[in-house]
Amino acid sequence: MTKINPNVFSGQRPPRINQNRVKKQPRTETGDASHVVPNVTVDSFLEQEPTGKSKELWLGKGEQSGLRQQLANDSGRAPKQELGEREGKVGRNLVYQQRLRTFAGENRLPIPTVTQPCAPDIEPTRCVGDAEVARRLTQARLGPGEQPRPIAQATYMSGDRNAICAAMVFDERLKVDILHKKGDAGDAAAAQNLKGFYVDALKAHGLSEEAASARIKLVPEDDPRTAYQQRTEFPGSSRGNLTPGVCTSVVANAFQNDTVGSKEALKKVWLGSIPEQDRKTLDAWVQKSFGHVQDGSVLVWVRQAGTEANRRPELNMSEFALAQVTHTVKELGKPFHLVGDPIGKETADKHPLMNFWEKMPPGLNDRTHQLYVMNKLSERGCILVGMRSGILEPHAMLGMPTVSIEGASGASRNERLRQYAGRLPYWRPLETVSDIGEGATQLQATREDRRLLKDHIRGEIQSHLGDLGPQGQEILTALDNKQDPIPILGKMKGDLSRLIKDKGSDPTTQRKLELVNSLDEKLKLSRELKSEIEQHQFQMEELDYLKKSLQQFYGMS
């Protein structure tokens, strides 16, 4: 059993980054390989050797040579790469992240991080207290003797189906209104499919066909999205619908009261409804298709959904973030397999678990059958890691240890899912300070790192304008105009060095030279940070949390 120090993750969650202070930039078409900004050569970048404690973290000359060639080859948009090639860059990325943190520590600069809500020890602290969960249930009129309003679910919200179904199993008062587009045969069929899923589950729970059907209502709407927003505007009132979010409170409360009983009840309604002959067919298919999957493997679920508005492309896993995850798993000495959607050069042909639902026996490949297949891998001690997706929650409810990566843009969802911490023992949310998905448009953590560093540099210049003379104002003007002030500092260093050589050193000149050298190093670090780390990535603290969460899960088995 692995013991993890919970104090590592203690403390208050820092405020989210102020979006108004982060200039929005269009997504640059660069690959995961670092790109060189204008006026910075590969040689000059690599030879910006730091001083002080950072020096020991910098790359040696031999490593520089290889990286120099790599950077030169990868200028512009990098071609698609094999996962192993990207993993090689993860180590270098961590070197640069560590350099930034060492520098920040020496200069008392804060680094934006997220205090994780669920410390990975065997009995995680409930970061949402019992009183708050009870308050949310009461607000939804789910207290004793009350009758709640139905839950509203539009057909495009299919990712919520398992949480809604679980809540209806745990609380017999809950009903659901399924909103679908009026006159759209395809959407009507999708609504009917959702209803069939709920009815089958409730029948497996012991209800009659009539009683189960009475709890699900199909509602045609001209605009289901607008109708959903209007219906859920006042969820606690007598004229509004509940949102699917209330189901998290219901499920968390059920698992808190009876973890084993809740898990077994869901296995019965989701997996037990599959006929015995179909289960035998699936068992044989799993053994034939996934016999190579080692016990205790980490299954990395890759999400690459479409780009339409409701698909949240910022939640699509980036290739570099995937390499960071697999690199972390390898550091633990554990095997991994890619599951879900193909990405880059990682195709379904290379990875049998990718798009596995397309390879399943005909007629036995709907979501319930997919749950059954993943549950067979869970029985072999496998652990699931993936970007935020409704597909992850039901696996955790069935007892599969799951790490769900939650980006910054999902703050409200993150807050809701924290109710699981300490109640659903198979669930770990990994909250990131930025959106790391391939479709994300802002790299908040990296941009915020640079903003903090630049604010520090500006403050230092402004406080020493008397020592710097007219050039100090020139540097500030260059920064304000997004121009490179390093040539100004270079000229100042040359002039001061010649002055000391010709006339000797005096305290004033020496102090000015030290100040110029300090500003020069900090500006180069800021420029390096832009060229080396600006990509869709995890912060190193987040990877450390992932590693400790996996260690904790392995300790549970």
Side-chain angles (χ1 to χ4, degrees):
M1 182 173 67
T2 305
K3 291 290 186 179
I4 305 299
N5 179 8
N7 296 324
V8 173
F9 303 95
S10 62
Q12 297 297 313
R13 179 188 179 87
R16 286 287 180 193
I17 295 167
N18 185 345
Q19 297 295 323
N20 296 325
R21 299 193 65 180
V22 182
K23 183 178 178 181
K24 294 187 177 180
Q25 301 278 0
R27 183 181 166 202
T28 56
E29 289 299 317
T30 60
D32 288 322
S34 306
H35 60 282
V36 182
V37 295
N39 302 322
V40 183
T41 67
V42 173
D43 287 345
S44 65
F45 162 69
L46 287 170
E47 289 165 5
Q48 292 167 10
E49 191 165 327
T51 59
K53 294 180 180 178
S54 301
K55 189 179 182 81
E56 62 193 48
L57 296 168
W58 190 236
L59 300 177
K61 294 295 183 183
E63 294 167 297
Q64 285 186 24
S65 176
L67 182 56
R68 181 181 290 109
Q69 185 60 47
Q70 182 75 53
L71 286 169
N73 292 341
D74 288 336
S75 58
R77 182 166 180 82
K80 295 293 184 183
Q81 294 178 301
E82 302 285 349
L83 182 59
E85 293 178 280
R86 293 188 181 278
E87 287 175 351
K89 296 179 181 179
V90 172
R92 293 197 297 274
N93 175 274
L94 292 175
V95 169
Y96 293 119
Q97 289 204 46
Q98 183 60 64
R99 274 202 66 204
L100 173 66
R101 281 147 183 76
T102 301
F103 174 86
E106 293 172 351
N107 293 275
R108 299 182 180 178
L109 294 174
I111 293 292
T113 57
V114 173
T115 300
Q116 298 297 337
C118 183
D121 50 16
I122 297 303
E123 295 294 338
T125 302
R126 294 175 193 162
C127 55
V128 176
D130 294 347
E132 174 60 18
V133 174
R135 185 194 68 77
R136 296 184 188 194
L137 292 172
T138 300
Q139 186 180 45
R141 301 174 67 185
L142 282 166
E146 293 186 291
Q147 182 58 48
R149 296 289 297 165
I151 299 164
Q153 180 189 20
T155 51
Y156 62 82
M157 301 165 63
S158 60
D160 293 315
R161 61 187 244 158
N162 289 97
I164 293 173
C165 182
M168 287 199 292
V169 168
F170 296 143
D171 194 318
E172 62 184 13
R173 296 170 295 175
L174 284 173
K175 302 177 181 180
V176 60
D177 291 343
I178 302 175
L179 316 181
H180 63 93
K181 189 170 180 62
K182 188 182 297 183
D184 187 323
D187 211 38
Q192 191 63 51
N193 181 272
L194 271 176
K195 179 175 181 178
F197 168 70
Y198 294 137
V199 169
D200 287 346
L202 293 175
K203 285 169 60 180
H205 189 54
L207 274 68
S208 66
E209 175 96 26
E210 182 181 7
S213 296
R215 294 174 63 181
I216 298 98
K217 181 180 179 182
L218 302 183
V219 184
E221 296 279 3
D222 291 328
D223 183 352
R225 189 179 297 275
T226 300
Y228 172 79
Q229 293 170 346
Q230 293 172 344
R231 283 168 169 266
T232 58
E233 186 176 2
F234 305 101
S237 71
S238 58
R239 60 191 179 94
N241 282 77
L242 298 175
T243 69
V246 73
C247 299
T248 306
S249 302
V250 175
V251 173
N253 191 55
F255 271 88
Q256 177 180 334
N257 293 334
D258 184 359
T259 299
V260 175
S262 298
K263 179 179 69 174
E264 293 305 317
L266 294 182
K267 282 188 176 183
K268 176 183 176 183
V269 301
W270 290 337
L271 308 183
S273 60
I274 301 175
E276 182 178 356
Q277 184 56 49
D278 290 348
R279 277 179 288 172
K280 288 181 178 179
T281 301
L282 288 171
D283 288 345
W285 181 82
V286 169
Q287 182 58 39
K288 177 182 177 181
S289 302
F290 302 151
H292 67 286
V293 177
Q294 306 95 316
D295 291 356
S297 293
V298 175
L299 307 181
V300 184
W301 192 287
V302 181
R303 183 186 191 273
Q304 291 287 289
T307 56
E308 57 268 31
N310 61 303
R311 291 295 184 179
R312 304 297 300 274
E314 71 275 14
L315 300 178
N316 291 345
M317 183 173 283
S318 72
E319 291 183 68
F320 189 75
L322 173 61
Q324 287 181 300
V325 171
T326 56
H327 181 273
T328 301
V329 174
K330 284 184 174 180
E331 285 188 326
L332 291 175
K334 300 297 183 181
F336 72 87
H337 298 272
L338 302 187
V339 193
D341 301 319
I343 179 172
K345 287 191 173 182
E346 310 311 315
T347 64
D349 291 335
K350 289 170 58 178
H351 303 279
L353 273 74
M354 281 187 156
N355 283 354
F356 70 88
W357 50 88
E358 296 180 357
K359 309 167 189 177
M360 294 172 65
L364 297 178
N365 59 352
D366 67 17
R367 291 198 182 190
T368 300
H369 298 122
Q370 294 170 34
L371 273 178
Y372 183 87
V373 167
M374 292 295 289
N375 187 68
K376 300 304 291 186
L377 296 176
S378 175
E379 291 174 356
R380 290 160 52 180
C382 291
I383 296 173
L384 187 61
V385 176
M387 296 284 285
R388 161 191 166 182
S389 171
I391 198 65
L392 300 182
E393 282 181 74
H395 295 305
M397 293 177 197
L398 293 177
M400 188 174 203
T402 301
V403 179
S404 177
I405 302 164
E406 309 288 333
S409 65
S412 60
R413 183 180 189 273
N414 298 350
E415 175 63 29
R416 173 173 64 81
L417 291 176
R418 287 181 206 146
Q419 296 175 87
Y420 286 152
R423 296 182 175 87
L424 181 58
Y426 319 104
W427 177 268
R428 293 290 178 277
L430 194 172
E431 297 185 11
T432 60
V433 74
S434 63
D435 283 327
I436 63 170
E438 190 66 53
T441 55
Q442 283 198 58
L443 310 174
Q444 296 179 11
T446 301
R447 296 192 189 284
E448 185 72 354
D449 290 345
R450 295 188 71 236
R451 185 191 68 75
L452 290 168
L453 187 54
K454 284 188 173 181
D455 285 352
H456 174 78
I457 293 169
R458 280 192 174 88
E460 190 167 359
I461 294 171
Q462 289 168 344
S463 64
H464 291 91
L465 282 176
D467 295 325
L468 293 170
Q471 293 97 331
Q473 190 57 54
E474 289 181 36
I475 296 170
L476 286 176
T477 301
L479 288 173
D480 291 339
N481 293 333
K482 302 191 184 321
Q483 297 172 345
D484 187 1
I486 289 181
I488 303 173
L489 289 167
K491 185 177 184 304
M492 293 177 69
K493 286 198 292 184
D495 291 344
L496 290 169
S497 297
R498 284 190 293 272
L499 181 62
I500 292 173
K501 182 179 180 180
D502 294 342
K503 297 185 178 181
S505 177
D506 63 81
T508 301
T509 305
Q510 188 62 40
R511 184 170 62 251
K512 186 174 182 179
L513 180 60
E514 291 174 357
L515 175 60
V516 169
N517 283 331
S518 173
L519 290 172
D520 184 60
E521 180 186 347
K522 292 169 184 175
L523 283 165
K524 285 178 178 177
L525 179 60
S526 175
R527 186 168 61 182
E528 169 194 318
L529 181 61
K530 177 177 177 60
S531 65
E532 273 300 320
I533 309 185
E534 191 165 328
Q535 53 194 319
H536 302 93
Q537 65 167 17
F538 290 98
Q539 297 286 283
M540 60 189 306
E541 294 83 2
E542 295 159 2
L543 292 175
D544 187 58
Y545 177 80
L546 172 61
K547 183 183 294 186
K548 289 180 169 65
S549 294
L550 293 174
Q551 288 173 326
Q552 184 269 316
F553 278 143
Y554 281 116
M556 288 175 61
S557 60

